[in-house]
Amino acid sequence: MQRVRIAALAGISLFALATSAMAQDYKQAPELDALVSSGALPAVAERVGANPRVLTPVESVGKYGGTFRGGMVGGNDRNMLFTYFGYEGLLAWDADWTGEVHPNIATGYTASADSRSFTFTLREGMKWSDGSPFTADDVAFFIEDILPDEKLFPTKPGWLTVEGELPSIAVISPTEFTMSWSKPNGLFILNAASVYGVQLALLNKAYCSQFLPKYNENADAEAVAAGAAGWAEHMVAKCGVGIEAIERWRNPERPVLEAWKIVDPYVAGATRVTFERNPYYWKVDTDGNQLPYIDDLSIGVNAESQTLLLSVLAGEIDYEVRHTTNTTNLPVIAEGVEQGDYRISPRESRVGNVMTISVNLNSQDATKAPIFQNKDFRIALSHALDRQAIIDTIYLGQSTPQQVSPREGTPYYNERLATQYLEHDVEKANALLDSIGLDKRGGNGMRLAPDGSPLVVNVAAVTALGNMADAAELFVQYWQAVGVDARFTAMDRTRFYEEKTASQHDIVVWGATSGGIDVFIDPRDYFPFSTESNFAIEWAKNYIGDGGVEPPDYVKEQWALYDQIKATSVPEEQNELFQRLLEITADQFYQIGIGTAVPLYSIAKNNLGNVPDGTPTGWIHPDPGTLNTEQFYFK
Amino acid sequence: MLAFIVKRVLGMIPAMFAISILAFTVIQLPPGDYVSTYAAQLAQSGENVDSAALNALRERYGLGENMVVQYTKWISGVLRGDFGDSFEWRQPVTELIWGRMGMTALISICTLILMWLVSLPIGIYSAARQYSVVDYLSTAFAFLAMATPNFLLAIVLLYITTMWFGVSVGGLFSPQYESAPWSLGKLWDFITHAWVPIFVLGTAGTASLIRIMRANLLDELHRPYVEAGRAKGLPEARLILSYPTRVALNPFISTVGWVLPALISGELIVSTVLNLPTAGPLLLQALKSQDMYLAGAFILLSGALVLIGTLISDILLAISDPRIRLS
């Protein structure tokens, strides 16, 4: 924490130097010149404020102009807009996701030693897209008026609560405020820089308060007149209070802090969503050019990802990472490089494994439960797999055998967890299975449960996620080879979710998640943390206070360690605690993994500049938002 | 005639009720609900799913309640003209449906007119000149066109237009005209794009109408009344067009009834493949995400249109063919 704070403070002094040198020479997009000379817009120096964020370009200072063409797929693809153009938090990650937290909307922060209160400094003279000033009051509006409201925010975001307690806020000056809790919230800064942090600076008080009865006694009547059921619904429709709300992309009148503001909204039936430049955007490049470089955004809404793929091949998409850039499409995309005039850039997936194989420790089946809970059973299943063969078949060799673990090269890597039980060893697997009472075989040569009944293990994977179902079919063969009567079931995702949420599954195959800095924020693969912890959903339910089953002591110990991680904000201490937590994960061997994450790629038109190569991706670290899309430009 | 219409309309009421129950049941058949689909989608893209948030959604939409309650809630809204809100889009269903219906109607009507314009003369000609070169050619075309799945044709055409002619992919307009008001430029843009879906949607229908027309007319051509007309020296063209053709038109009139529901659900896959801003892709997406009220509204509407279309067909047939008895 100390380190980050110094970086942030150093940032402030750098900004001060840079701005004093440049205050006179800010430049703007040519399309704004006429508006400024006619007096419709203030001068650029006034718009960017006294202390804009200075972005160092990836390749070079860009030039203004052009329309960015992108594509969305299906209904409710609002997070495409969010991850591409809506990642503006108080703090930000860098494109390389080294773990450093950078100033963004805030120029810096200080944390109290006990991690209970955090004081942020904002930029002098920073403005919303309608020209109104952005101040600490806007943040306070969210914390005090929106967040506690049951109608607007029925479920409170976990990262903003500590044991259910909401934060309180003290506004010190227009550019300074303090958020605090009565207990430590050691993960707050990590979350504030991640995708969730956008929440704190999403709502413009001047505009959004008109929909609240507290500020406008006619709010309810006006809402009904506008066709809404009540003020709360009207407020959500106009301001979209959550970061993932589809309404965020609906109302062109709502002031924003993002580089572009919406023109043609994302409503049902829309075939194209368009944006225009925010003339009050508060970032400049090193030459003092106000960002963004690109004038407009034009995002087509596709019914199906194949149409988008065809647009990519035809060279009609300037940048794409979300829908078409999977391994299956790679051959056709590589073939179209020349005709489409685009390049393929590597991206690094930071997930902890290509997939997780979760044996259900909370099985509802009385015969299977004790077998599944036996660690030797899971170890036997792991040894039965020929990982290299699976990787060669499914991932064209682009992965290295590994268990589900934080990635090598990150401070969170745990070697024992990553490398145990990896060898393909049929003899060992057979011996282990024999040793745990599965030594009797039925007429078909398959093992019988200790009570003499046939032991059939269902392995479920979702067909829509192609690779996983293909892999699962291979697993089944390897397990049958050691006498475990595994059967593959292809499932539709909805049914898959129904079954696993009710813990009716035997074994499920799903994607792994956090393997880097996000391990603290979403540790679902390392202990029963959320209902996405497929190996023990009932224990996880108990953790999140949603019923479930009380777990054994080692799980409770992990919960306690995680609580301690949240209670400190010193990275070294957090990691030390996390390593202790991972030792328990390694002891228990909750999930079986196959190999390290497969490299991903993005597609960018050859004339699109300032697109860095080889950047990591994730939901917590949302690319391309973290690449600073506002500094993309057309050469 | 009036009594006939009134009787038919009254008969439609229980049919409509049955359709509404059926539609609702079909939507509810797959396991899970919108919220589980939503959770699965989020989780797949690596986004976090908060089970408390999901439960709040379920409660808000009344998804946990039993089927009868949900059905009553839904149908009583429909009777008041309120189709409920789309879960996925968080917008009233009525806003969504009518927005897309205009474009759907435009495309369907263009297709229908083209189908008739092409198939009638060819059908008549190949019946009148049976086993001629044109007849063989049209037969070959008809078999080929009927055997080719429309969506496959759509994919091939899409590929060819994009990769060879550089026309922008799918849709009905170029990006610059999409949200522009109607103008001559936009009309021309529409025409350059619309021929693809009209061609794709029209081929199989045209082919089958050619065959139907040909077969019906062949049945009529050798009837005594035709021979009598010919014997009296009527010019051949006038003879065929005035008498047997009118009789052979019956199947065309009775297909009017099928055209109306096709406005909504017909050619759903083709519109999805071609990325058309019509009702089809919206219905497909609603079914995939179990967006109950949206899907329900589409299914209910297409049910209603089948009934209305059949009624119209019956009335037209009754008018055009004096042999039909009304009682």
Side-chain angles (χ1 to χ4, degrees), chain A residues 331-399:
Chain A
V332 62
I333 283 178
E335 205 176 307
V337 159
E338 229 164 274
Q339 170 159 14
D341 192 28
Y342 54 79
R343 60 183 186 274
I344 299 173
S345 312
R347 279 159 86 220
E348 192 188 315
S349 163
R350 287 265 171 113
V351 295
N353 209 287
V354 284
M355 65 183 72
T356 59
I357 304 166
S358 309
V359 181
N360 186 5
L361 303 181
N362 299 149
S363 175
Q364 312 285 306
D365 185 314
T367 317
K368 289 176 183 173
I371 300 171
F372 292 170
Q373 279 163 14
N374 193 324
K375 183 182 161 192
D376 285 340
F377 178 72
R378 302 193 293 276
I379 297 174
L381 292 187
S382 184
H383 280 305
L385 296 174
D386 183 350
R387 288 183 170 74
Q388 196 55 53
I390 294 168
I391 288 167
D392 290 343
T393 316
I394 310 273
Y395 298 104
L396 312 167
Q398 296 185 62
S399 172

Side-chain angles (χ1 to χ4, degrees), chain B residues 147-174:
Chain B
T148 312
N150 280 355
F151 77 91
L152 190 69
L153 195 60
I155 292 175
V156 170
L157 262 182
L158 207 58
Y159 183 80
I160 291 174
T161 52
T162 311
M163 305 311 274
W164 292 359
F165 297 114
V167 176
S168 86
V169 185
L172 286 177
F173 301 100
S174 308

Side-chain angles (χ1 to χ4, degrees), chain A residues 75-76 78-79 155 196 250 264 268-269 271-272 302-303 314 316 339 465 493-494 497-498 522 524 544 619, chain B residues 31-32 34 36 38 41 43-44 46-48 51-52 88-89 91 96 100 158 162-163 168 178-179 275 277 285:
Chain A
N76 231 339
R78 70 224 179 284
N79 280 353
T155 51
Y196 304 111
R250 286 263 168 90
D264 292 314
T271 52
R272 188 159 294 273
N302 296 274
E316 292 175 355
Q339 170 159 14
L465 314 174
R493 315 180 209 190
T494 318
Y497 255 71
E498 287 283 294
D522 186 5
R524 66 168 82 152
I544 58 180
W619 164 241
Chain B
Y34 167 70
S36 8
Y38 175 66
Q41 273 173 358
Q44 186 205 346
E47 289 154 28
N48 264 358
S51 75
E88 188 162 34
W89 292 96
Q91 269 178 291
L96 269 75
R100 289 244 168 168
L158 207 58
T162 311
M163 305 311 274
S168 86
E178 240 160 347
S179 43
N275 205 21
Q285 177 64 30

